[in-house]
Amino acid sequence: MVVSVPKPAEELLEMLDGYKNMFIVACGGCPVGCDSGGMKRVDELTEFFPQNGKEVTGNVLIDFLCNKALVGSKLIYHLKKLKKSQAVLVVSCGIGVQATGKMVDIPVVPANDTLSSQGMQGLWPSSERCAGCGTCYLAFTGGICPITSCSKSLINGMCGGQHDGKCEVETERDCGWNLIYLRLKEVGKLDNLKKIPHLRDFRKMDVSDKERHTTRWALEKEVIYEAPKQSSEKEEA
Amino acid sequence: MSRLQESLEQGKFTITGEVGPPKGVDLHHCMDEEVSYIKDRVVAINVTDNQSSVMRISSLSICALLAQQGLEPILQITCRDRNRLGIQGDILGAYVLGIRNILALTGDHNTAGDHPDSKPVYDLDSVSLLTALTSLKNGKDLAGEELNGIPEDIIPGAIVTPGADPVEMQLIKMEIKIEAGARFFQTQAIYDPKVFESFMNKASRYKVPVLCGIVIIKSAGMAKYMNNFVPGVQVPDTMITPLKEASKEDRPKKSIELMAEFIKEVKPMCQGLHIMAMGWERYVPELLDICDL
């Protein structure tokens, strides 16, 4: 399971600064299992934002946001509301935020920080990646992840190695920061680059004990069939 | 206050040079040749940090040797090889050895160098390294812990690539670097005065000294290599053709002539030069003589 935790309320408001309203897209997969998503969270957010001067234009819960075709096929029923929205708040791991960002031409904002995915990457067949950095930057970077799209995982902009839009590490590899630059320029949000905190907090990558005790993780601990102990077998014999 | 800072703050046209530490412990070429040719003509000398991700003597050691000789080093620090503990420790270590000028770089990726299988660090990057320098200058480390003895006269510098495309991204990052504490800029090599002029027209609003980067082009082959493999660098044909046509003996003379022409054009646009001679340190005095510098 991909573990994610809700971003603090003040951070959500900071990321949504300048937007009057938003549409909420939520994932019905992992975030439900780790209590950071699902309808319960959507309801909470739908109540929270109007109290803080922001309108919620609507919401949709989609089984898995790590399936771009599914995301597109469901969002199509909400076009009317999406067209009225200035931003899309995505309640999922970083993959879901990027996938949604690819499907709609509206700035996407992550509602969660994604932690280590601990072996499970969902069923994501496409090119977007989430490294579980614990500090989702996607609101600032136009829905393109700087941690996974930049070979150096830089958070403060393009390095000197970018050449014709490609990375210094591989001639065919797109420079992630060039993609971010082009996207932000397109949506008129280049100023976002000045809002990113300069330092990363690597502690946030770790999954705390509390997060390990969420519902789905706990399922793994249930033993369906308990084999008889070896010692008791001997006794019976 | 370092001599570099003094020169920059007095608005003087300031020239810096650069040397690369050797791989191995024989210092003869680096100290007795490269340094000795340029030391009387520059205010300060950059010492590269595992340049091009190729392992060499540490920049800090060579800077310390320069400082011992009464010369003024600029310690280049990249973020590729050390985390924030290592880097901050090195900054303080450099300070007690008399080093005041520090150039903050992200650093080429490991895969470009001779240890491609090593672990890239990038705990910090050029911007957060500047944040670290500013924090230390103000008496606290990045964790907010107070320092016993404050390196308040460190002067942090950074780099910018005037020929990069998109240049707008360079300018945004330049602004972010200034906010983080950069007090001077040295540029990546640039050969087209028009491109540099257009860059300076936008960059001069930041009012931070910019030293124009000069990499002496030694041959047409080197120019082509740079065009193909050095991001943000474009050597124009007007420089390549004369070098191609010159005989091998005349090439240094031709090269110096071409560089001098370029320097004369960019001199009024910026506050100095950063000369990266790449093994041709012996020609630097002649080049500067021609430019009356």
Side-chain angles (χ1 to χ4, degrees):
Chain A
M1 182 170 70
V2 182
V3 180
S4 61
V5 292
K7 274 187 183 286
E10 59 272 23
E11 201 182 325
L12 288 178
L13 290 173
E14 201 179 307
M15 287 188 308
L16 285 156
D17 187 32
Y19 300 114
K20 279 193 301 201
N21 62 26
M22 83 214 69
F23 185 85
I24 299 176
V25 175
C27 179
C30 308
V32 179
C34 48
D35 297 335
S36 62
M39 271 328 283
K40 189 172 151 243
R41 179 94 193 283
V42 172
D43 290 342
E44 282 166 16
L45 291 166
T46 306
E47 200 182 310
F48 168 75
F49 282 111
Q51 289 166 359
N52 288 276
K54 294 190 190 295
E55 187 201 345
V56 177
T57 56
N59 68 67
V60 58
L61 181 78
I62 298 173
D63 287 354
F64 297 101
L65 293 189
C66 57
N67 184 323
K68 211 154 34 184
L70 182 65
V71 175
S73 68
K74 298 288 179 187
L75 284 184
I76 210 153
Y77 297 110
H78 301 272
L79 276 184
K80 236 185 206 168
K81 285 175 182 169
L82 280 166
K83 279 181 188 165
K84 283 194 293 185
S85 310
Q86 294 182 335
V88 177
L89 182 70
V90 188
V91 188
S92 77
C93 71
I95 292 278
V97 184
Q98 292 174 77
T100 309
K102 283 277 167 71
M103 303 308 293
V104 294
D105 203 15
I106 304 169
V108 284
V109 173
N112 289 353
D113 284 323
T114 309
L115 309 182
S116 164
S117 42
Q118 302 287 326
M120 175 61 176
Q121 277 289 350
L123 296 168
W124 188 240
S126 204
S127 59
E128 296 80 11
R129 292 287 176 270
C130 174
C133 73
T135 318
C136 196
Y137 295 99
L138 290 164
F140 300 116
T141 54
I144 299 165
C145 174
I147 306 297
T148 54
S149 69
C150 169
S151 61
K152 300 175 185 172
S153 297
L154 302 181
I155 54 167
N156 291 306
M158 189 185 286
C159 77
Q162 181 269 147
H163 194 38
D164 287 340
K166 301 294 177 187
C167 174
E168 69 180 22
V169 167
E170 270 179 276
T171 46
E172 293 306 310
R173 177 174 173 163
D174 286 330
C175 164
W177 272 101
N178 193 50
L179 299 176
I180 293 170
Y181 163 77
L182 293 172
R183 175 67 184 153
L184 291 178
K185 197 174 166 74
E186 193 185 336
V187 294
K189 292 273 174 199
L190 277 171
D191 267 2
N192 277 3
L193 297 177
K194 293 173 196 161
K195 296 179 190 163
I196 301 175
H198 291 171
L199 287 163
R200 275 185 70 178
D201 183 347
F202 285 87
R203 279 172 304 188
K204 291 190 168 179
M205 294 187 82
D206 193 44
V207 183
S208 73
D209 190 60
K210 191 177 126 223
E211 271 97 39
R212 283 164 198 256
H213 286 85
T214 50
T215 48
R216 290 203 186 171
W217 205 305
L219 278 179
E220 293 169 11
K221 291 177 183 163
E222 285 177 19
V223 179
I224 297 162
Y225 165 69
E226 206 164 336
K229 297 262 168 2
Q230 248 184 354
S231 55
S232 59
E233 271 173 24
K234 269 182 199 165
E235 275 167 28
E236 279 168 25
Chain B
M1 189 191 288
S2 78
R3 292 202 286 273
L4 175 69
Q5 185 176 0
E6 201 174 274
S7 175
L8 294 171
E9 283 183 6
Q10 288 173 358
K12 286 186 186 158
F13 194 79
T14 303
I15 300 170
T16 55
E18 182 169 306
V19 295
K23 196 182 192 70
V25 292
D26 181 354
L27 292 174
H28 169 72
H29 183 73
C30 175
M31 300 299 280
D32 303 335
E33 294 184 19
E34 292 181 15
V35 169
S36 68
Y37 287 123
I38 61 171
K39 66 178 168 66
D40 298 327
R41 304 302 296 263
V42 297
V43 174
I45 301 174
N46 284 44
V47 182
T48 55
D49 178 11
N50 286 338
Q51 186 177 6
S52 309
S53 309
V54 172
M55 191 286 296
R56 304 151 198 263
I57 293 185
S58 70
S59 175
L60 178 54
S61 305
I62 303 295
C63 284
L65 292 175
L66 292 178
Q68 269 175 24
Q69 293 185 15
L71 299 172
E72 173 113 347
I74 300 175
L75 174 66
Q76 293 197 184
I77 298 182
T78 68
C79 301
R80 175 190 54 237
D81 310 323
R82 281 152 293 170
N83 71 4
R84 63 188 86 174
L85 274 86
I87 288 176
Q88 291 180 101
D90 278 357
I91 294 167
L92 297 180
Y95 190 89
V96 299
L97 290 167
I99 297 155
R100 298 290 178 271
N101 315 308
I102 297 181
L103 188 79
L105 305 116
T106 297
D108 295 333
H109 199 279
N110 309 41
T111 52
D114 65 352
H115 287 63
D117 47 355
S118 57
K119 183 179 188 215
V121 179
Y122 301 115
D123 176 23
L124 301 181
D125 61 18
S126 54
V127 173
S128 42
L129 171 51
L130 288 162
T131 307
L133 286 162
T134 303
S135 180
L136 294 171
K137 271 167 68 103
N138 293 328
K140 284 183 177 170
D141 65 16
L142 279 178
E145 300 293 332
E146 295 211 5
L147 302 180
N148 183 8
I150 301 168
E152 52 193 14
D153 56 343
I154 287 176
I155 167 160
I159 67 155
V160 63
T161 308
D165 179 24
V167 74
E168 187 182 19
M169 186 70 214
Q170 289 291 315
L171 289 159
I172 293 171
K173 194 152 178 179
M174 188 176 179
E175 200 181 331
I176 295 172
K177 285 177 175 180
I178 293 167
E179 273 170 31
R183 292 291 164 266
F184 70 95
F185 283 84
Q186 293 174 324
T187 80
Q188 172 61 287
I190 173 96
Y191 297 95
D192 188 333
K194 288 212 172 65
V195 174
F196 189 66
E197 186 177 20
S198 132
F199 169 78
M200 284 308 296
N201 283 342
K202 293 169 194 136
S204 55
R205 69 180 153 182
Y206 300 134
K207 311 234 179 305
V208 174
V210 173
L211 311 186
C212 179
I214 310 281
V215 170
I216 303 177
I217 295 291
K218 298 188 247 182
S219 66
M222 176 181 172
K224 279 183 194 152
Y225 176 85
M226 290 183 72
N227 285 351
N228 287 333
F229 298 108
V230 184
V233 177
Q234 195 60 41
V235 187
D237 287 338
T238 48
M239 273 191 184
I240 300 177
T241 315
L243 284 175
K244 205 192 262 173
E245 285 166 356
S247 68
K248 206 177 172 195
E249 308 80 72
D250 289 345
R251 227 184 271 152
K253 190 167 166 280
K254 191 77 223 169
S255 164
I256 296 307
E257 258 175 51
L258 289 163
M259 297 317 300
E261 270 172 46
F262 173 77
I263 290 174
K264 281 176 192 165
E265 286 203 58
V266 297
K267 197 178 148 191
M269 304 173 194
C270 56
Q271 211 194 312
L273 306 173
H274 174 56
I275 302 176
M276 297 162 268
M278 306 259 180
W280 270 18
E281 286 74 15
R282 60 186 178 281
Y283 297 112
V284 170
E286 189 186 334
L287 172 63
L288 294 173
D289 285 342
I290 301 174
C291 304
D292 294 323
L293 287 167

